[in-house]
Amino acid sequence: QLVESGGGLVQAGDSLRLSCAASGRTISNYIMAWFRQAPGKEREFVAAIGWGGSTYYADSVKGRFAISRDNAKNTLYLQMNSLKPEDTAVYSCAAAVSGSYSSYRSYGFWGQGTQVTVSL
């Protein structure tokens, strides 16, 4: 089970940190990622972290967002800085055994999502 938290309503330029607590599986054994979906838009890759700790980011968030994980806490994080209104979406964490890190089809396990709303 993956459970996200940390979403909310913030102003442009603010920061938020999302958390994804895992139970029943060890996140260090998976490719872990964050995806987001805005109303009327398709689900979009945000960031991923591989088994060895390599990180990958969508161009739209590179330099502003940082993905990390705490294996001891079995928790995935997404630090989001310099938030923009276009970052408004439901953010979901996901786990994959293998596959393309940026394709949602690789991920077999998903959380329920947390809403992030960025106002001007």
Side-chain angles (χ1 to χ4, degrees):
Q1 185 180 12
L2 301 174
V3 179
E4 302 93 338
S5 61
L9 172 63
V10 297
Q11 292 187 324
D14 285 351
S15 298
L16 274 178
R17 188 176 81 155
L18 305 183
S19 299
C20 171
S23 60
R25 60 189 82 254
T26 303
I27 64 171
S28 60
N29 293 335
Y30 295 85
I31 302 169
M32 299 297 298
W34 290 95
F35 286 78
R36 66 186 182 186
Q37 188 166 21
K41 294 187 177 181
E42 294 189 353
R43 185 163 31 188
E44 175 187 26
F45 168 75
V46 176
I49 184 167
W51 306 284
S54 298
T55 56
Y56 310 90
Y57 297 93
D59 287 343
S60 59
V61 306
K62 203 172 292 184
R64 299 189 298 122
F65 290 12
I67 188 171
S68 63
R69 65 177 181 225
D70 185 329
N71 291 337
K73 295 182 178 180
N74 213 28
T75 300
L76 178 73
Y77 301 101
L78 184 67
Q79 178 66 44
M80 304 186 295
N81 300 325
S82 302
L83 282 161
K84 304 175 180 180
E86 51 264 45
D87 294 319
T88 295
V90 174
Y91 285 71
S92 299
C93 64
V97 175
S98 63
S100 170
Y101 62 86
S102 62
S103 172
Y104 73 88
R105 294 182 178 86
S106 299
Y107 295 83
F109 308 99
W110 291 84
Q112 83 290 348
T114 186
Q115 177 71 46
V116 172
T117 303
V118 184
S119 64
L120 287 169

